[in-house]
Amino acid sequence: MAARADGRGGTALPVLESEGPLALRRTRGSGSEANVLLVGAMSGPLGGDRLAVHADVAEGARLRVGSAAATIALPGQAKGEARYDVRLDVADGGELRWLPEQLISARGSDLYVTTRADLAATARLVLREEQVLGRAGEEPGRLSSRLTVRVAGRAVLDQELACGPGAPGGWDGPAVLGGHRAVGQLVVVRPEYGERPVAPRVLEEGAVLVPLAGPAVLVSAVASDALRLRRVLDRALTLLEDGDR
């Protein structure tokens, strides 16, 4: 998908193309922002699948991307790891709000997710990532994820997490998930944070807000389930946006 300023104070979507298990649908936006939904056209990702999403936000454009439902990683007939790669590019003066629903790792699945965001110096980003280990009463599959955010060519965040069967030992211990089954991150990038960094703080048990080495903030949280995780991240985003006003 590609978002461009339309010259009339709004945002156009000259490119909105999809195939396979992912479909892109434009929905009603608000103000100058264009809205796109990721819709799962079939089950997946399954074992052996290779999925990729690319969003390109040009100068002055504003784009919000969500998903119609949670994504469930499932075992498939084909053996081997599934991959889901997300690439986000935002130009100077552009803004992207990347707010998909949760990713659920079902028993027997094996998924590696990469999310890379490349932002120009004055670009803005709100990125939420939520992962749930197993459906209700179910052991998780293996889930590995890497999240990288770069601003003006400089990495401000590069982290990787592996959970589930076959992951390095300690992933469920007190130093990582501590027995929780939902984990999430919220990354907010705003040029003004370079001049006025947000102070670090503990938001509640299992959730912390920290400034990054650049114009960005990271909220990391663990919770017992997806609902509690979403509430924590929503409260954190409200706190940050109220502070920007």
Side-chain angles (χ1 to χ4, degrees), residues 207-227:
V208 64
L209 181 154
V210 293
L212 299 175
V217 170
L218 171 67
V219 176
S220 294
V222 294
S224 58
D225 57 45
L227 180 59

Side-chain angles (χ1 to χ4, degrees), residues 140-207:
R142 175 163 180 169
L143 177 61
S144 302
S145 63
R146 183 173 181 179
L147 173 60
T148 306
V149 179
R150 297 170 60 88
V151 180
R154 178 186 178 190
V156 299
L157 177 66
D158 192 348
Q159 68 177 28
E160 191 161 1
L161 177 65
C163 305
W171 66 269
D172 202 21
V176 188
L177 296 187
H180 295 89
R181 283 295 177 265
V183 57
Q185 288 74 233
L186 177 71
V187 181
V188 181
V189 179
R190 304 204 184 287
E192 54 268 30
Y193 290 165
E195 299 294 330
R196 302 188 305 276
V198 177
R201 71 193 78 176
V202 175
L203 300 174
E204 57 182 76
E205 183 178 357

Side-chain angles (χ1 to χ4, degrees), residues 3-228:
R4 303 286 184 265
D6 65 6
R8 304 187 301 274
T11 298
L13 296 172
V15 178
L16 196 63
E17 299 177 353
S18 56
E19 60 182 24
L22 295 176
L24 301 177
R25 298 289 184 264
R26 180 165 189 167
T27 60
R28 185 182 299 275
S30 59
S32 60
E33 185 179 71
N35 281 6
V36 173
L37 272 184
L38 282 165
V39 179
M42 59 185 75
S43 297
L46 305 174
D49 282 355
R50 299 291 185 268
L51 307 180
V53 179
H54 182 202
D56 182 20
V57 181
E59 182 176 356
R62 298 181 65 222
L63 175 64
R64 179 188 180 104
V65 180
S67 56
T71 297
I72 305 178
L74 296 165
Q77 292 183 345
K79 294 185 178 180
E81 175 186 81
R83 293 190 62 96
Y84 191 170
D85 299 314
V86 177
R87 174 69 182 270
L88 311 173
D89 294 301
V90 189
D92 277 314
E95 180 173 345
L96 173 62
R97 298 174 70 86
W98 185 264
L99 300 168
E101 295 301 308
Q102 299 90 352
L103 171 62
I104 301 172
S105 173
R107 182 178 180 180
S109 64
D110 186 359
L111 176 64
Y112 185 66
V113 182
T114 62
T115 302
R116 176 171 173 170
D118 283 288
L119 283 69
T122 62
R124 294 172 175 263
L125 173 71
V126 174
L127 184 153
R128 184 182 67 212
E129 182 180 80
E130 299 169 306
Q131 297 164 352
V132 181
L133 304 182
R135 293 169 289 193
E138 177 186 65
E139 291 299 311
R142 175 163 180 169
L143 177 61
S144 302
S145 63
R146 183 173 181 179
L147 173 60
T148 306
V149 179
R150 297 170 60 88
V151 180
R154 178 186 178 190
V156 299
L157 177 66
D158 192 348
Q159 68 177 28
E160 191 161 1
L161 177 65
C163 305
W171 66 269
D172 202 21
V176 188
L177 296 187
H180 295 89
R181 283 295 177 265
V183 57
Q185 288 74 233
L186 177 71
V187 181
V188 181
V189 179
R190 304 204 184 287
E192 54 268 30
Y193 290 165
E195 299 294 330
R196 302 188 305 276
V198 177
R201 71 193 78 176
V202 175
L203 300 174
E204 57 182 76
E205 183 178 357
V208 64
L209 181 154
V210 293
L212 299 175
V217 170
L218 171 67
V219 176
S220 294
V222 294
S224 58
D225 57 45
L227 180 59
R228 289 179 175 85

